[in-house]
PDB file of all heavy atoms in Angstrom:
ATOM      1  N   GLN A 170     -12.916   4.132  15.095  1.00  0.00           N
ATOM      2  CA  GLN A 170     -13.420   3.821  13.765  1.00  0.00           C
ATOM      3  C   GLN A 170     -13.644   5.112  12.985  1.00  0.00           C
ATOM      4  O   GLN A 170     -14.013   6.137  13.556  1.00  0.00           O
ATOM      5  CB  GLN A 170     -14.740   3.057  13.901  1.00  0.00           C
ATOM      6  CG  GLN A 170     -15.434   2.722  12.600  1.00  0.00           C
ATOM      7  CD  GLN A 170     -16.663   1.863  12.820  1.00  0.00           C
ATOM      8  OE1 GLN A 170     -16.556   0.687  13.188  1.00  0.00           O
ATOM      9  NE2 GLN A 170     -17.838   2.437  12.631  1.00  0.00           N
ATOM     10  N   VAL A 171     -13.416   5.049  11.671  1.00  0.00           N
ATOM     11  CA  VAL A 171     -13.667   6.192  10.793  1.00  0.00           C
ATOM     12  C   VAL A 171     -14.611   5.756   9.681  1.00  0.00           C
ATOM     13  O   VAL A 171     -14.458   4.667   9.123  1.00  0.00           O
ATOM     14  CB  VAL A 171     -12.364   6.719  10.164  1.00  0.00           C
ATOM     15  CG1 VAL A 171     -12.659   7.838   9.169  1.00  0.00           C
ATOM     16  CG2 VAL A 171     -11.416   7.227  11.226  1.00  0.00           C
ATOM     17  N   SER A 172     -15.582   6.604   9.363  1.00  0.00           N
ATOM     18  CA  SER A 172     -16.468   6.381   8.225  1.00  0.00           C
ATOM     19  C   SER A 172     -16.480   7.632   7.364  1.00  0.00           C
ATOM     20  O   SER A 172     -16.397   8.754   7.873  1.00  0.00           O
ATOM     21  CB  SER A 172     -17.895   6.065   8.683  1.00  0.00           C
ATOM     22  OG  SER A 172     -17.948   4.849   9.398  1.00  0.00           O
ATOM     23  N   TRP A 173     -16.563   7.445   6.060  1.00  0.00           N
ATOM     24  CA  TRP A 173     -16.631   8.563   5.123  1.00  0.00           C
ATOM     25  C   TRP A 173     -17.762   8.342   4.142  1.00  0.00           C
ATOM     26  O   TRP A 173     -17.815   7.312   3.466  1.00  0.00           O
ATOM     27  CB  TRP A 173     -15.313   8.711   4.363  1.00  0.00           C
ATOM     28  CG  TRP A 173     -15.314   9.868   3.389  1.00  0.00           C
ATOM     29  CD1 TRP A 173     -15.440  11.193   3.670  1.00  0.00           C
ATOM     30  CD2 TRP A 173     -15.159   9.776   1.970  1.00  0.00           C
ATOM     31  NE1 TRP A 173     -15.381  11.938   2.519  1.00  0.00           N
ATOM     32  CE2 TRP A 173     -15.196  11.095   1.445  1.00  0.00           C
ATOM     33  CE3 TRP A 173     -14.976   8.710   1.084  1.00  0.00           C
ATOM     34  CZ2 TRP A 173     -15.081  11.376   0.088  1.00  0.00           C
ATOM     35  CZ3 TRP A 173     -14.851   8.991  -0.277  1.00  0.00           C
ATOM     36  CH2 TRP A 173     -14.904  10.309  -0.753  1.00  0.00           C
ATOM     37  N   ASP A 174     -18.689   9.298   4.096  1.00  0.00           N
ATOM     38  CA  ASP A 174     -19.800   9.276   3.151  1.00  0.00           C
ATOM     39  C   ASP A 174     -19.358  10.062   1.923  1.00  0.00           C
ATOM     40  O   ASP A 174     -19.225  11.288   1.980  1.00  0.00           O
ATOM     41  CB  ASP A 174     -21.034   9.918   3.793  1.00  0.00           C
ATOM     42  CG  ASP A 174     -22.268   9.832   2.904  1.00  0.00           C
ATOM     43  OD1 ASP A 174     -22.108   9.820   1.664  1.00  0.00           O
ATOM     44  OD2 ASP A 174     -23.384   9.801   3.441  1.00  0.00           O
ATOM     45  N   SER A 175     -19.111   9.367   0.818  1.00  0.00           N
ATOM     46  CA  SER A 175     -18.583  10.032  -0.372  1.00  0.00           C
ATOM     47  C   SER A 175     -19.602  10.971  -1.012  1.00  0.00           C
ATOM     48  O   SER A 175     -19.224  11.966  -1.637  1.00  0.00           O
ATOM     49  CB  SER A 175     -18.112   8.994  -1.403  1.00  0.00           C
ATOM     50  OG  SER A 175     -19.176   8.158  -1.806  1.00  0.00           O
ATOM     51  N   LYS A 176     -20.894  10.684  -0.862  1.00  0.00           N
ATOM     52  CA  LYS A 176     -21.914  11.573  -1.430  1.00  0.00           C
ATOM     53  C   LYS A 176     -21.996  12.882  -0.656  1.00  0.00           C
ATOM     54  O   LYS A 176     -22.092  13.958  -1.237  1.00  0.00           O
ATOM     55  CB  LYS A 176     -23.279  10.876  -1.440  1.00  0.00           C
ATOM     56  CG  LYS A 176     -23.390   9.767  -2.485  1.00  0.00           C
ATOM     57  CD  LYS A 176     -24.793   9.208  -2.543  1.00  0.00           C
ATOM     58  CE  LYS A 176     -24.926   8.164  -3.648  1.00  0.00           C
ATOM     59  NZ  LYS A 176     -26.297   7.591  -3.715  1.00  0.00           N
ATOM     60  N   ALA A 177     -21.955  12.777   0.660  1.00  0.00           N
ATOM     61  CA  ALA A 177     -22.033  13.973   1.508  1.00  0.00           C
ATOM     62  C   ALA A 177     -20.662  14.591   1.747  1.00  0.00           C
ATOM     63  O   ALA A 177     -20.577  15.700   2.279  1.00  0.00           O
ATOM     64  CB  ALA A 177     -22.673  13.618   2.846  1.00  0.00           C
ATOM     65  N   ASN A 178     -19.592  13.860   1.341  1.00  0.00           N
ATOM     66  CA  ASN A 178     -18.211  14.287   1.599  1.00  0.00           C
ATOM     67  C   ASN A 178     -18.044  14.629   3.075  1.00  0.00           C
ATOM     68  O   ASN A 178     -17.550  15.692   3.444  1.00  0.00           O
ATOM     69  CB  ASN A 178     -17.831  15.486   0.721  1.00  0.00           C
ATOM     70  CG  ASN A 178     -16.344  15.771   0.751  1.00  0.00           C
ATOM     71  OD1 ASN A 178     -15.539  14.886   1.056  1.00  0.00           O
ATOM     72  ND2 ASN A 178     -15.971  17.005   0.473  1.00  0.00           N
ATOM     73  N   LYS A 179     -18.445  13.673   3.931  1.00  0.00           N
ATOM     74  CA  LYS A 179     -18.442  13.919   5.372  1.00  0.00           C
ATOM     75  C   LYS A 179     -17.871  12.725   6.120  1.00  0.00           C
ATOM     76  O   LYS A 179     -18.189  11.576   5.830  1.00  0.00           O
ATOM     77  CB  LYS A 179     -19.871  14.192   5.857  1.00  0.00           C
ATOM     78  CG  LYS A 179     -19.977  14.481   7.343  1.00  0.00           C
ATOM     79  CD  LYS A 179     -21.425  14.728   7.739  1.00  0.00           C
ATOM     80  CE  LYS A 179     -21.549  14.997   9.240  1.00  0.00           C
ATOM     81  NZ  LYS A 179     -22.957  15.220   9.637  1.00  0.00           N
TER      82      LYS A 179
END
Side-chain angles (χ1 to χ4, degrees):
Q170 177 175 290
V171 176
S172 295
W173 181 63
D174 185 330
S175 60
K176 288 186 176 179
N178 192 23
K179 181 180 179 181

